[in-house]
Amino acid sequence: MALAIAESERVRGTTSPNPPVGCVVLDAHGKAVGFGGTQPPGGPHAEVMALKEAGVRARGGTAVVTLEPCAHHGRTPPCTEALQEAGIKHVIHAVSDPNPRAAGGAARLRAAGITVESGLLADEVSKGPLRAWLHYARTGRPHVTWKYAASLDGRIAAQDGTSRWISSETSRKEVHDLRAKLDAIIVGTNTVRRDDPALTARDADGIPLPHQPLPVVVGHGDLPAGARLEHTALHLRTHDPDEVLTALAGEGVVDVLLEGGPTVAGAFLRAGRVDRVLAYVAPALLGAGPAAVLDAGVSTITDAVRLVVEDVTMSGPDLRISAVPQT
């Protein structure tokens, strides 16, 4: 299953609105003989890719897959049929499919005499490459990760507005690697005017990575003439997070990174539309300057947006904190 998760992570960012599923096929002796990840929309699913690599060695074997195999005819035939035709005798999946149109694969496989197990490394899959898609399947909304970098005293820029660079080179590389696995990045018009960002995913040499997220700008104002995003970004003239997410869902966007400034962050927090917070905290003190978020709808301590910390990791000299809202 760890290998299947790696396959899922490998194709993340290329499959939306379909899930980035990973699959490993074992032969009858338990040897891994086929690996696969879901292809871009209209292409084969992970199980089909792994079965193709395994060939006749799949007969009598086991399929280990991150998501319950689909049982419906969409752009491609059901994976349950491909598994049966290949002679698979045992299927292990991490999480069940929450999409009513595609669910029921496990029951169909059992009815065909195939042994099915579920739940293996489910937490790792649910918090890993399938996190955003599972949220999208359950809510109909893209999953939003609010990412920011701040000093130890919570400032995202110095008093004079300078902010390059608060976080370390290691952290910035991590963020570019993350961008390359996402569907879209959101900023506000103020960020475009102030920083003129490109919102691209680049390697250490500044070369664009193969997959690029959709740049999205929110706000009523026009973009400055000559801005790098002037002709490349999807400009949504609204301040309503729900309108933004509805428009992005219509574009097939599932996984979103919110990189806007404190005003945009506050709007999404007030609306309850931040699904994960990813904070890079640098060991520096600024004493003054803008905070990471403004007007989050908190007027008293009892209104605080409480989070559950999932992970705390060093990123070079910085502290990387991943947290989700309490439910």
Side-chain angles (χ1 to χ4, degrees):
M1 185 62 78
L3 294 174
I5 292 172
E7 287 293 310
S8 178
E9 188 65 40
R10 181 179 61 81
V11 299
R12 184 180 165 206
T14 66
T15 67
S16 293
N18 297 330
V21 177
C23 178
V24 176
V25 171
L26 312 177
D27 66 15
H29 305 289
K31 179 182 178 181
V33 293
F35 299 82
T38 301
Q39 299 303 290
H45 290 186
E47 296 93 325
V48 174
M49 296 296 293
L51 289 170
K52 181 179 180 181
E53 184 174 288
V56 296
R57 295 173 294 177
R59 190 157 298 280
T62 298
V64 182
V65 60
T66 55
L67 182 68
E68 177 186 8
C70 65
H72 78 298
H73 282 269
R75 293 179 178 177
T76 61
C79 291
T80 50
E81 290 184 3
L83 292 165
Q84 292 174 57
E85 291 169 1
I88 290 291
K89 296 299 182 185
H90 188 192
V91 172
I92 302 171
H93 66 268
V95 295
S96 298
D97 195 326
N99 182 351
R101 290 181 59 247
R108 187 165 297 186
L109 290 170
R110 289 190 180 100
I114 296 173
T115 302
V116 180
E117 297 179 58
S118 64
L120 180 61
L121 297 188
D123 196 49
E124 287 86 340
V125 170
S126 297
K127 292 180 180 178
L130 282 183
R131 179 202 294 261
W133 184 84
L134 289 170
H135 169 88
Y136 177 80
R138 290 167 181 145
T139 67
R141 296 191 307 270
H143 179 278
V144 177
T145 296
W146 171 40
K147 187 279 299 179
Y148 69 91
S151 62
L152 198 58
D153 53 347
R155 308 292 179 175
I156 61 170
Q159 191 170 18
D160 65 355
T162 56
S163 60
R164 297 185 179 181
W165 295 103
I166 288 178
S167 60
S168 67
E169 184 176 347
T170 300
S171 295
R172 296 196 299 275
K173 181 183 183 304
E174 279 192 7
V175 171
H176 277 281
D177 290 343
L178 174 62
R179 284 179 172 184
K181 297 177 179 179
L182 297 171
D183 299 324
I185 303 177
I186 298 175
V187 297
T189 51
N190 286 339
T191 294
V192 176
R193 296 189 190 100
R194 184 182 65 247
D195 299 335
D196 190 23
L199 301 187
T200 54
R202 305 180 296 277
D203 66 15
D205 297 320
I207 306 300
L209 295 169
H211 174 72
Q212 293 294 322
L214 172 70
V216 180
V217 179
V218 298
H220 294 293
D222 293 334
L223 302 187
R228 288 189 282 184
L229 294 177
E230 183 180 12
H231 302 297
T232 60
L234 173 63
H235 188 183
L236 301 174
R237 295 179 182 270
T238 178
H239 292 130
D240 185 336
D242 282 328
E243 290 183 3
V244 171
L245 295 179
T246 297
L248 291 182
E251 297 287 332
V253 167
V254 171
D255 204 351
V256 174
L257 192 66
L258 180 64
E259 286 199 5
T263 301
V264 172
F268 273 76
L269 284 167
R270 286 197 310 276
R273 294 298 180 252
V274 171
D275 305 301
R276 180 190 180 209
V277 177
L278 187 62
Y280 287 86
V281 182
L285 300 172
L286 296 177
V293 61
L294 292 175
D295 191 11
V298 177
S299 58
T300 181
I301 193 64
T302 56
D303 296 333
V305 180
R306 299 290 181 179
L307 305 171
V308 176
V309 175
E310 292 184 319
D311 180 67
V312 179
T313 308
M314 297 303 298
S315 175
D318 304 331
L319 198 65
R320 184 184 71 228
I321 303 170
S322 175
V324 296
Q326 284 184 353
T327 55

